[in-house]
Amino acid sequence: MTPKAKLLIIGGAEDKGDNDLIDIVEQKKEFTRYEILNEILPPSNKKIEIITTGSEIQEEVKKIYQKVFHDMGYNNIGFLPIKKRSEARDSEYLKRAANAGAIFLTGGDQFRLSTILGGTPIVNIIKDRYMKDSDFIIAGTSAGAMVMGTVMITGGGLSEALRYRNLLTSSGLGIVLSCIIDTHFIKRGRFSRLAHAIIMNPEQLGIGLGEDTALVIRNGTDAEVYGSGMVVIIDGRNIDQTNITDVEEGEAVFVENLIVHLLVKGCQFSILDRTLANPAIPVSKYTK
C-alpha cells in the first residue's frame, strides 16, 4: 500500500543537553528559515500537534516553537508533552492525534522517543493516517527525524575509521520502513556511522541530513530536498567486498562499492528505485 500522507524529515539544530538547546534563534537554523517549516503547515489551517517527548526540557522547547510559529503568522498549534508510555494511551491525546492536520516530533534523544512512544496507540494512529490520509503531514527534526525508521542509530560510530561493533542501534517507530536516518550529518561528522549502519543493514537506504536541510517525501518514495545544506544518500545494495563479518570487535572495517549520492536543494530522488530524477533538479527549478 502506498502512503498517502506527506513526510518531512529535518536535519535539525536541537540537541538533548540543557546547554545545547539551542541558540536556535541566534544561529538562525531551520526554525527561522520558513521555507522548511512552511512544509509542515497543514491545509485549511488545521492544528499542528507538536510532540516534545524527545526532550527533557519540554517547556523550553514549547516556548521556542510557540514563538517561531507565531512569527510565521500561524497560531493553531498544540503540544503533546508525553513523558511516559501510559500518557501515549491518553484518550484526549489520541483524539487530538486523530484530528490533527500535522504531527511534528521535536528533537532531543531518539532512544527516549522510541522507548516511550514505540508500539503505543498514538503511534498506531500516526502510522494509520500516514498510510491513508492524503491531507495529513508527519514531520520530525533531529531525533524526531531519526526515529522515523525501523532501524535507528542510538550512539557510537563516530571514530574516523569504521570500527566493528562500535555502533549502537535499536528499533525506531517504523514509519519509514526502508531507511536509516541520521541528522546533524555534516556538522557532526556522521558519515562513518551511517555507512557502518548500512554495511550492517544493506537492504536499508541511508539518509544523512545536514542542518537547515530537509527531505520531503511524498507517496512514500518521491523525495525532494529543501533548505540550504546537503543530504547524503548511502546505498549498500551493491556492496561486494567487506571484512565486517571477519574482523574482531574494535578493528577497522573496509567496504567496496558502497554507493553515495550528494543532494542539494531542489534535487529529487526515488527511495523506491534509489535513483535521482533525470535531471536531478528539473529545469523549472532553475528558472524560478
Side-chain angles (χ1 to χ4, degrees), residues 270-281:
S270 170
I271 292 173
L272 178 63
D273 298 332
R274 302 192 176 190
T275 57
L276 273 77
N278 189 11
I281 301 178

Side-chain angles (χ1 to χ4, degrees), residues 50-69:
I50 300 177
I51 298 177
T52 54
T53 302
S55 177
E56 295 182 1
I57 44 176
Q58 297 195 33
E59 281 302 312
E60 288 88 338
V61 172
K62 178 179 177 180
K63 290 175 184 177
I64 289 168
Y65 282 106
Q66 283 177 324
K67 172 175 172 42
V68 170
F69 281 107

Side-chain angles (χ1 to χ4, degrees), residues 238-253:
N238 294 322
I239 288 174
D240 288 328
Q241 297 184 77
T242 178
N243 62 344
I244 197 165
T245 59
D246 302 319
V247 296
E248 300 292 330
E249 184 171 347
E251 291 186 346
V253 173

Side-chain angles (χ1 to χ4, degrees), residues 27-94:
Q27 293 182 20
K28 297 189 181 300
K29 293 298 185 182
E30 82 271 8
F31 303 95
T32 54
R33 294 181 185 271
Y34 298 157
E35 177 198 47
I36 291 176
L37 283 184
N38 274 327
E39 287 295 315
I40 301 173
L41 300 182
S44 306
N45 201 41
K46 293 183 70 175
K47 180 176 276 190
I48 299 172
E49 294 287 0
I50 300 177
I51 298 177
T52 54
T53 302
S55 177
E56 295 182 1
I57 44 176
Q58 297 195 33
E59 281 302 312
E60 288 88 338
V61 172
K62 178 179 177 180
K63 290 175 184 177
I64 289 168
Y65 282 106
Q66 283 177 324
K67 172 175 172 42
V68 170
F69 281 107
H70 175 77
D71 290 349
M72 291 173 63
Y74 188 91
N75 296 306
N76 194 7
I77 60 174
F79 292 86
L80 302 178
I82 299 168
K83 297 180 180 179
K84 51 188 177 181
R85 288 183 64 84
S86 60
E87 294 176 352
R89 301 182 179 92
D90 181 88
S91 59
E92 177 62 23
Y93 286 172
L94 299 182

Side-chain angles (χ1 to χ4, degrees), residues 111-156:
F111 187 67
R112 177 181 170 87
L113 272 166
S114 64
T115 53
I116 292 175
L117 298 180
T120 63
I122 200 163
V123 170
N124 291 338
I125 288 172
I126 292 170
K127 287 182 176 180
D128 186 66
R129 295 194 65 197
Y130 176 60
M131 296 302 297
K132 298 177 181 178
D133 189 347
S134 59
D135 292 326
F136 182 58
I137 302 165
I138 177 169
T141 184
S142 189
M146 292 179 69
V147 79
M148 296 289 185
T150 304
V151 179
M152 178 183 71
I153 297 170
T154 57

Side-chain angles (χ1 to χ4, degrees), residues 215 225 229-233 261-265 267 269 276:
L215 202 64
V225 179
M230 181 185 295
V231 175
V232 178
I233 303 291
H261 305 284
L262 306 180
L263 280 58
V264 296
K265 180 179 178 179
C267 281
F269 185 86
L276 273 77

